[in-house]
């Protein structure tokens, strides 16, 4: 009798459990799984608009011979290599400073640093374009300090346009990563630092050989999420360059190129889907390497 009751109860929870998760599974299937499968199928087709025809590996051949794709890939890799280490390092340093119990108004500073990542994208894009214009506050300040002799074309020079994008992303998302580091730092037992201090370990040694190893899971998480975000970089470039990725494609990223292929130019859905899988492959490979590196150091 008890066995029968337990089996009936198990069937009841099994059925109700599936009914509970069914809406979520349906939404995930509709808005995630189906687009992934559909885009994979589209990558084997070519043509304009809805006039598609099966081309097999034709899009891969086009990808290989497309100079705009290679320029977008180059820019995306540059943003990844430069921006991610800067943002992760700054977030860790700021978290360590805010974790100091002797620091006054730490809550105010924490809010000020975190605020950019929840601010309006349109508002902050307008603010940056105004600040970094030829007669903006940044150029005027640098001229007044004697650092530069003439205004910098932040939005017209290919090199400085890249620098502006990196500054904007770092300013916006450093606070987001800082919150994770700060939460992890506040959960570390203070007695560990006290024991190391008694043993004569200097402050830099405690940070390098105690703090960093204990933050390894958080560092891995923020590195992977920052990598994914940078490889999918779109918002800042689109707003700063009006969707053109200029000047001279110097800030064109893979995500913006996919958008242009799909919506701005004559729609080429199949080729855009092929380019999108380049991002998927890059994210998968880099995430695997980061997980592998973290495991080897464990």
């Amino acid at each position: 009798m008890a066995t029968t009751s337990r089996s009936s109860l198990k069937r009841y929870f099994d059925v109700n459990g599936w009914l509970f998760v069914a809406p979520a599974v349906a939404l995930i299937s509709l808005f995630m799984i189906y687009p992934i499968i559909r885009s994979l199928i589209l990558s084997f087709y070519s043509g304009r608009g809805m006039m598609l025809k099966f081309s097999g590996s034709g899009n891969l051949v086009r990808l290989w011979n497309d100079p705009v794709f290679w320029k977008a890939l180059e820019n995306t890799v540059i943003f990844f290599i430069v921006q991610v280490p800067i943002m992760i390092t700054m977030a860790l340093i700021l978290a360590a400073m805010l974790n100091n119990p002797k620091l006054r108004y730490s809550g105010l500073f924490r809010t000020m640093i975190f605020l950019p990542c929840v601010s309006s994208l349109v508002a902050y894009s307008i603010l940056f374009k105004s600040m970094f214009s030829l007669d903006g506050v940044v150029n005027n300040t640098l001229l007044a300090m004697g650092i530069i002799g003439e205004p910098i074309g932040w939005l017209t020079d290919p090199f400085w346009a890249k620098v502006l994008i990196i500054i904007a992303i770092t300013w916006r998302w450093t606070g987001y990563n800082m919150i994770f580091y700060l939460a992890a730092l506040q959960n570390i037992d203070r007695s560990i630092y006290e024991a190391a201090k008694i043993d004569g370990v200097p402050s830099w040694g405690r940070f390098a050989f105690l703090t960093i190893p204990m933050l390894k899971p958080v560092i891995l998480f923020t590195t992977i999420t920052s990598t994914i975000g940078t490889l999918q970089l779109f918002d800042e470039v689109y707003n700063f360059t009006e969707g053109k990725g200029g000047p001279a494609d110097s800030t064109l990223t893979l995500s913006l190129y996919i958008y242009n292929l799909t919506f701005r130019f004559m729609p080429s859905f199949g080729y855009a889907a092929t380019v999108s899988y380049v991002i998927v492959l890059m994210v998968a490979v880099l995430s695997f390497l980061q997980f592998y590196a973290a495991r080897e150091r464990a």
Side-chain angles (χ1 to χ4, degrees):
M1 184 68 178
T3 304
T4 304
S5 300
R6 282 195 298 269
S7 61
S8 300
L9 191 63
K10 185 176 182 298
R11 285 196 300 270
Y12 171 82
F13 280 112
D14 285 344
V15 173
N16 283 274
W18 281 109
L19 290 175
F20 181 77
V21 301
V25 172
L27 290 173
I28 291 173
S29 301
L30 179 62
F31 294 107
M32 292 187 66
I33 298 177
Y34 172 75
I36 290 173
I37 296 174
R38 180 60 179 164
S39 63
L40 181 61
I41 295 173
L42 276 175
S43 66
F44 294 98
Y45 286 79
S46 62
R48 298 292 184 182
M50 300 305 295
M51 305 298 293
L52 300 176
K53 62 179 180 180
F54 184 78
S55 62
S57 60
N59 285 324
L60 292 176
V61 176
R62 178 182 173 183
L63 193 76
W64 183 260
N65 296 302
D66 183 2
V68 180
F69 162 75
W70 289 107
K71 183 62 177 178
L73 178 62
E74 176 190 338
N75 293 335
T76 303
V77 172
I78 290 174
F79 286 135
F80 162 69
I81 293 175
V82 176
Q83 189 263 332
V84 171
I86 292 176
M87 185 168 60
I88 295 299
T89 303
M90 286 186 61
L92 182 57
I93 293 173
L94 289 171
M97 293 173 61
L98 291 176
N99 193 48
N100 185 354
K102 298 180 180 179
L103 179 66
R104 300 180 62 184
Y105 309 113
S106 60
L108 175 62
F109 293 135
R110 182 171 61 246
T111 303
M112 292 173 59
I113 296 171
F114 181 74
L115 190 60
C117 76
V118 295
S119 61
S120 168
L121 176 62
V122 175
Y124 114 86
S125 298
I126 294 174
L127 174 65
F128 260 73
K129 290 178 71 173
S130 174
M131 289 174 57
F132 287 88
S133 61
L134 283 176
D135 58 348
V137 63
V138 174
N139 275 331
N140 288 334
T141 301
L142 294 176
L143 285 169
M145 297 175 64
I147 297 176
I148 58 175
E150 58 182 14
I152 296 174
W154 295 96
L155 297 170
T156 57
D157 183 89
F159 172 78
W160 291 111
K162 282 190 177 71
V163 174
L164 176 59
I165 297 296
I166 292 171
I167 293 173
I169 304 170
T170 304
W171 178 82
R172 188 180 184 198
W173 293 112
T174 296
Y176 174 81
N177 291 317
M178 180 203 70
I179 292 298
F180 290 100
Y181 289 125
L182 185 58
L185 286 170
Q186 291 175 346
N187 283 321
I188 297 177
D189 191 352
R190 289 284 176 182
S191 63
I192 299 175
Y193 293 115
E194 294 172 0
K197 188 175 181 180
I198 293 173
D199 290 338
V201 180
S203 57
W204 67 266
R206 296 195 295 271
F207 184 80
F209 300 109
L210 291 178
T211 304
I212 296 298
M214 287 187 285
L215 291 180
K216 187 178 295 183
V218 182
I219 294 175
L220 177 63
F221 170 78
T222 55
T223 302
I224 291 177
T225 54
S226 298
T227 297
I228 295 173
T230 304
L231 294 180
Q232 296 177 341
L233 178 60
F234 174 83
D235 296 338
E236 285 77 9
V237 179
Y238 180 86
N239 283 279
F240 289 178
T241 66
E242 300 178 353
K244 299 175 183 178
D249 291 335
S250 61
T251 60
L252 181 67
T253 61
L254 289 175
S255 293
L256 182 58
Y257 189 40
I258 293 169
Y259 172 84
N260 290 338
L261 287 170
T262 307
F263 299 108
R264 286 181 64 90
F265 309 141
M266 180 65 73
S268 183
F269 299 122
Y271 186 53
T274 304
V275 177
S276 69
Y277 273 92
V278 174
I279 299 179
V280 172
L281 181 62
M282 292 174 66
V283 169
V285 171
L286 290 172
S287 297
F288 171 78
L289 292 175
Q290 289 165 355
F291 270 113
Y292 182 79
R295 187 183 65 178
E296 286 295 308
R297 295 173 184 173

